[in-house]
Amino acid sequence: MFSLSNDLSSSDGLSDSSGFLRSSRFSSSTGFSSSNKWINNHAYSAFKEVDLHCETNNNDHHTSQISVNQLIVRRGQPFNITLKMAKPFNPDSDQLTMKVVTGKYPSEERGTMSRFGVPDKVELSPCAIAVWKAELQKNSLPETGMLALTITPPAHAPVGEYKLSAGLKAEENELAELFVLFNPWCSEDWVFLPNEAERQEYVMNQHGIIYKGSDQYIHGLSWDFGQFEEDMVQICLKLLDLSRKHKRDPADDVSARCNPIYVGRVVTNMVNKEDANDGVLVGNWSDDYSRGFPPTHWSGSYDILKQWYTTSFKRVSYGQCWVFAGIMCSVMRLLGIPCRVVTNFQSAHDSNANLTIDKYYGDFLVRPKETDERVWNFHVWVEGWMRRPDLAEDGRYDGWQALDGTPQELSENVFCCGPTPVSAILKGDVHLKYDVLFVSAEVNADVVSWLVKRDGSKVEMFSDTKSVGQHISTKAVGSNERVDITNTYKHTEGSAMERAVFRYALSKLDINNTKPTDGNAAPQLIIKFEEESTPVNGQDVKMKLVLRNEGSSARTLSIGVSVQAMTYTGRLKENIKNEVIEKELLPGNDLTIPIQVPYSSYSKQMVSCQTMNISALITDIQNNQIYVADDRVVLKDPPISLTVPDEARVDQKMTFKVDFKNPVNETLTGCTLTVSGTGLVQSEEIIKVPDLMSYNTLSMKFSLFPYKSGEKTLLVDFDCASFRDIKASCTVNVKP
């Protein structure tokens, strides 16, 4: 039970209040109540009882965190059952025939049915694939009818839910239901990952960090994957069953689930709700989230997947790229495909498939012209680990594959992306499947800036070959450190090898303009933006524009500065500030222009945005030359404090405290606190709290009852009308 008692106070001496919230303690509602099952009660039945040894098998198969009451095994690895017969069994004269089936249309030819037995003399279809094996263990007592059996699913068996049955002579009985998952511990499985520390991180770890912000303002968001929570096996398999591929040809779809390439591609389509599919989450990049939660609300995957599952697969609202990636990572890890979340900063969205982003400025406006092609502050996808024998037999494209669940562009007429071999991106092999060209542009497109004149004509100003694809990041193995993996996607920016790969990639494209630009001559006017202090939401933003004249003559400059609110996808929203000044800049000198943006001038515009786009358009009046520069400033959230005990115990009360100070001279309204964390809280709890007066502090104490042992992550989210979804997290060490 998650009962919450809270103690609300503030610095002006508000009285305390308390309340209670309800949540059920963890219990498994699926599977057999024990690993023993009576077969039937017929007096003449050949089979009496089966013991699935669920706890032992699941421990051996690294699935005990999912359940110890239901048999969940990994392919390519043996498991043990004990079958009690009604009569003695003679291996020399009796034939025990076993059968497993998955899907509604099982067949040996498709690998969705297998007949096998003891002894190994069962007649198979000549076209049978994915054949299971059974062996009689030495500790069996066939003379008493007690058969200890070792059963091995092949390493290329389709993943999914199976029914296991046994037959003797003319009698056949269903023994059990079991689930089969991919096996990164098995060298014959296409998802085999040889390093144990990496398997623990990329398959078993239920918590992670997703990186957001921008290339200059990187911050980590704690994310709760929760892949081993209640019903997650059923949820993830149902997600596959509702795919368009399954609906079109269920027999072929279930058979194809032997292939992690296929499964990964299906999951990229099903985590999003597009194309009238039954996908999980609706993307929304507007400011209207009135029919659901804003994407920033979420701190984990399980609450989203559980809501989808328990509401008869009704779409959940709303998500953006990091939420899609978090959900996809949860599903992939549950299925047994090693998976990690990856963030690309300065991520290009190339809708023209030409490895180029066109950026437009107006000579009469500082604000750039809007286009479908933009450079996002960041974009988040996942990488799944698998072999790619469909591309090369020598393994050159094996390993990490980019998969993107965010609906951006169509791939084979549906919204999905990948699996894209990261090694193919590094080599420039943009002609390969799947979607290598699109992901290559995300990490290494050139950006060409154009000046749009009043008559509509365009003049190319310069080409930026270096800014796209910065600090590609993922969480480190075994720690919460950030690891930069940019060098796995491309060679050092600006190097001869990086430019050579870019030219090679262009040569593979069927476009007229295949001549890449390799940058421009160094300008005589150097432009840069500098911070005077760390930009924090709720405080005045103080920047400065610094110009340096590296020419030999004085310049009279018309300097236009514009500040706009911007979404993380690079879409400009409301204007915050504009100013134009004229200054003279002597040769070899610097000119500093202060840029101050008071909180009062941006507070309303920045509620749904965290990024300020500061643009400078500078005209050299004598020489009629135009220079442009942009800087994206990501505002840091006001601080929120979360205090937890050094350790806690399962089913025992644990108290923690949340503190947040209102940083502005206005009352914060519509305040809520959301508490979540798998192993600690059964489902997220949203608590309404009173309005918070200016500069006052909100302090709340909560009590919960952990239901799983181990290292868990507690997450809290403070939300109000002025500051959206300010988050904090702490690790809690829960003892049994």
Side-chain angles (χ1 to χ4, degrees):
M1 183 174 70
F2 172 51
S3 68
L4 229 217
S5 62
N6 64 64
D7 179 13
L8 172 66
S9 62
S10 62
S11 57
D12 65 348
L14 289 175
S15 59
D16 294 345
S17 63
S18 62
F20 297 94
L21 294 176
R22 296 185 300 276
S23 176
S24 61
R25 179 170 295 167
F26 175 83
S27 61
S28 177
S29 62
T30 60
F32 305 123
S33 58
S34 72
S35 61
N36 292 72
K37 178 186 177 184
W38 290 99
I39 307 302
N40 57 48
N41 293 319
H42 196 284
Y44 302 104
S45 172
F47 307 99
K48 294 180 65 177
E49 186 180 358
V50 61
D51 187 346
L52 301 178
H53 305 295
C54 291
E55 185 170 359
T56 301
N57 284 320
N58 289 7
N59 274 321
D60 292 343
H61 286 249
H62 310 279
T63 61
S64 59
Q65 289 191 57
I66 307 173
S67 174
V68 293
N69 299 317
Q70 190 161 30
L71 186 58
I72 305 171
V73 300
R74 298 190 186 274
R75 62 188 195 173
Q77 181 176 338
F79 63 92
N80 301 316
I81 68 171
T82 301
L83 183 61
K84 187 175 183 180
M85 312 288 288
K87 296 181 178 180
F89 179 82
N90 186 344
D92 295 326
S93 59
D94 293 331
Q95 175 64 58
L96 175 67
T97 300
M98 309 192 77
K99 183 174 71 174
V100 289
V101 298
T102 184
K104 294 182 179 180
Y105 307 97
S107 78
E108 290 182 275
E109 294 76 14
R110 291 181 179 270
T112 51
M113 178 174 73
S114 182
R115 300 173 69 250
F116 57 102
V118 174
D120 187 14
K121 296 179 181 179
V122 177
E123 184 176 350
L124 307 178
S125 165
C127 299
I129 60 174
V131 178
W132 292 46
K133 298 290 183 183
E135 293 180 327
L136 196 63
Q137 297 174 24
K138 292 182 179 180
N139 62 341
S140 293
L141 298 172
E143 65 275 11
T144 68
M146 191 69 69
L147 305 184
L149 300 171
T150 296
I151 300 174
T152 305
H156 55 285
V159 299
E161 183 177 7
Y162 283 77
K163 292 182 178 179
L164 171 66
S165 60
L168 186 68
K169 297 183 173 60
E171 181 182 348
E172 181 176 336
N173 280 282
E174 181 178 319
L175 300 182
E177 295 176 352
L178 68 150
F179 294 96
V180 176
L181 305 178
F182 291 107
N183 192 352
W185 283 265
C186 175
S187 61
E188 296 179 8
D189 197 311
W190 284 11
V191 304
F192 173 62
L193 185 62
N195 185 282
E196 176 61 20
E198 292 182 346
R199 290 192 292 253
Q200 291 299 318
E201 181 67 48
Y202 300 136
V203 180
M204 303 301 292
N205 195 349
Q206 295 196 75
H207 309 285
I209 296 174
I210 300 177
Y211 294 98
K212 298 174 62 180
S214 73
D215 60 325
Q216 300 297 319
Y217 303 89
I218 298 174
H219 71 270
L221 170 69
S222 291
W223 192 264
D224 203 336
F225 295 115
Q227 69 266 30
F228 300 140
E229 286 298 286
E230 184 180 6
D231 292 332
M232 275 295 287
V233 173
Q234 289 84 353
I235 290 171
C236 294
L237 293 179
K238 191 65 179 180
L239 184 144
L240 299 180
D241 286 343
L242 291 177
S243 73
R244 63 179 67 246
K245 292 179 180 289
H246 185 80
K247 292 176 180 178
R248 184 170 59 241
D249 190 341
D252 187 63
D253 170 73
V254 173
S255 175
R257 294 180 190 176
C258 66
N259 188 342
I261 304 167
Y262 174 85
V263 171
R265 192 158 173 80
V266 169
V267 175
T268 68
N269 177 248
M270 286 301 297
V271 295
N272 68 75
K273 170 67 178 176
E274 293 291 339
D275 295 334
N277 68 0
D278 290 308
V280 175
L281 189 65
V282 183
N284 187 343
W285 284 265
S286 74
D287 294 332
D288 183 6
Y289 306 119
S290 57
R291 296 187 177 183
F293 290 110
T296 51
H297 167 80
W298 306 108
S299 297
S301 309
Y302 180 60
D303 285 309
I304 298 171
L305 289 165
K306 184 178 180 181
Q307 179 180 328
W308 174 76
Y309 186 68
T310 57
T311 58
S312 300
F313 321 112
K314 181 181 178 181
R315 66 183 191 176
V316 180
S317 303
Y318 295 101
Q320 291 174 0
C321 69
W322 70 93
V323 189
F324 290 116
I327 294 172
M328 183 159 186
C329 188
S330 300
V331 175
M332 297 280 277
R333 288 185 181 183
L334 181 281
L335 294 175
I337 302 175
C339 190
R340 63 186 186 184
V341 179
V342 171
T343 302
N344 176 40
F345 293 96
Q346 292 293 102
S347 186
H349 183 161
D350 175 19
S351 59
N352 295 330
N354 62 357
L355 292 173
T356 300
I357 303 297
D358 294 307
K359 190 174 182 179
Y360 297 96
Y361 296 85
D363 65 355
F364 52 94
L365 287 174
V366 175
R367 183 180 180 128
K369 172 186 172 183
E370 285 290 317
T371 68
D372 290 335
E373 293 194 325
R374 293 188 299 276
V375 176
W376 296 21
N377 280 6
F378 66 92
H379 182 50
V380 186
W381 56 77
V382 303
E383 290 177 353
W385 180 272
M386 63 191 73
R387 295 175 190 161
R388 291 300 302 269
D390 58 319
L391 299 180
E393 294 182 359
D394 62 3
R396 75 183 76 168
Y397 299 115
D398 294 353
W400 289 116
Q401 314 284 320
L403 299 118
D404 193 348
T406 302
Q408 296 183 89
E409 300 289 336
L410 293 174
S411 174
E412 296 184 341
N413 299 315
V414 295
F415 279 109
C416 63
C417 182
T420 306
V422 174
S423 58
I425 300 170
L426 182 66
K427 300 174 192 294
D429 292 332
V430 296
H431 58 291
L432 296 177
K433 62 182 184 182
Y434 295 92
D435 311 301
V436 179
L437 174 58
F438 183 76
V439 183
S440 294
E442 289 184 303
V443 301
N444 206 29
D446 284 354
V447 180
V448 179
S449 293
W450 301 83
L451 180 67
V452 181
K453 296 189 173 182
R454 291 179 181 272
D455 62 4
S457 62
K458 297 182 293 183
V459 177
E460 182 178 344
M461 293 188 291
F462 60 89
S463 176
D464 176 3
T465 65
K466 296 182 179 180
S467 65
V468 167
Q470 299 292 316
H471 304 299
I472 303 175
S473 300
T474 191
K475 177 189 173 295
V477 173
S479 79
N480 289 332
E481 297 299 314
R482 182 179 66 87
V483 176
D484 192 310
I485 58 171
T486 308
N487 63 352
T488 66
Y489 282 84
K490 61 182 180 179
H491 298 279
T492 302
E493 196 68 74
S495 67
M497 181 62 75
E498 182 267 331
R499 285 290 91 189
V501 170
F502 187 83
R503 285 189 290 268
Y504 170 74
L506 280 178
S507 73
K508 296 290 184 179
L509 306 184
D510 184 20
I511 57 177
N512 293 327
N513 179 20
T514 59
K515 181 181 179 181
T517 54
D518 288 334
N520 306 95
Q524 292 185 324
L525 185 66
I526 305 299
I527 308 171
K528 64 179 180 178
F529 293 93
E530 295 180 355
E531 294 178 3
E532 289 192 7
S533 59
T534 301
V536 178
N537 197 359
Q539 300 178 13
D540 296 349
V541 175
K542 298 179 181 180
M543 305 283 294
K544 53 186 178 183
L545 173 66
V546 181
L547 310 177
R548 181 171 181 81
N549 182 359
E550 296 200 339
S552 58
S553 60
R555 298 167 181 264
T556 302
L557 304 176
S558 173
I559 304 166
V561 176
S562 180
V563 181
Q564 296 97 24
M566 174 185 275
T567 67
Y568 84 97
T569 62
R571 185 178 297 279
L572 294 171
K573 304 293 283 186
E574 296 182 64
N575 191 67
I576 296 172
K577 180 177 182 177
N578 283 304
E579 65 176 339
V580 179
I581 59 174
E582 190 172 300
K583 294 284 186 178
E584 183 178 41
L585 180 55
L586 299 176
N589 283 14
D590 289 350
L591 175 65
T592 299
I593 310 296
I595 303 172
Q596 297 197 15
V597 188
Y599 171 73
S600 59
S601 69
Y602 74 75
S603 58
K604 299 296 186 292
Q605 295 92 328
M606 292 290 292
V607 169
S608 60
C609 301
Q610 279 194 302
T611 305
M612 281 185 185
N613 187 67
I614 303 177
S615 302
L617 189 146
I618 301 160
T619 304
D620 184 339
I621 296 174
Q622 288 98 329
N623 300 316
N624 196 30
Q625 288 183 307
I626 295 178
Y627 303 86
V628 295
D630 295 302
D631 190 33
R632 298 183 179 185
V633 178
V634 178
L635 302 185
K636 186 177 179 180
D637 283 331
I640 183 171
S641 171
L642 174 60
T643 305
V644 300
D646 292 335
E647 67 175 44
R649 292 196 174 274
V650 171
D651 293 335
Q652 293 187 15
K653 182 178 178 180
M654 184 197 97
T655 300
F656 62 96
K657 184 181 179 185
V658 180
D659 295 285
F660 176 76
K661 181 178 180 179
N662 180 355
V664 296
N665 189 24
E666 62 183 55
T667 300
L668 303 184
T669 61
C671 302
T672 62
L673 268 175
T674 302
V675 181
S676 61
T678 56
L680 301 171
V681 183
Q682 188 66 204
S683 59
E684 70 171 18
E685 301 284 353
I686 302 176
I687 307 107
K688 292 183 178 180
V689 298
D691 294 349
L692 187 58
M693 304 296 288
S694 59
Y695 304 119
N696 283 356
T697 298
L698 172 74
S699 292
M700 299 189 75
K701 289 183 179 180
F702 301 89
S703 296
L704 57 80
F705 295 82
Y707 58 88
K708 284 187 177 181
S709 61
E711 194 173 89
K712 307 301 176 184
T713 301
L714 181 66
L715 306 105
V716 298
D717 176 297
F718 175 79
D719 187 59
C720 66
S722 300
F723 300 102
R724 306 313 308 264
D725 298 303
I726 300 171
K727 297 181 184 291
S729 63
C730 272
T731 299
V732 179
N733 186 16
V734 181
K735 301 292 184 180

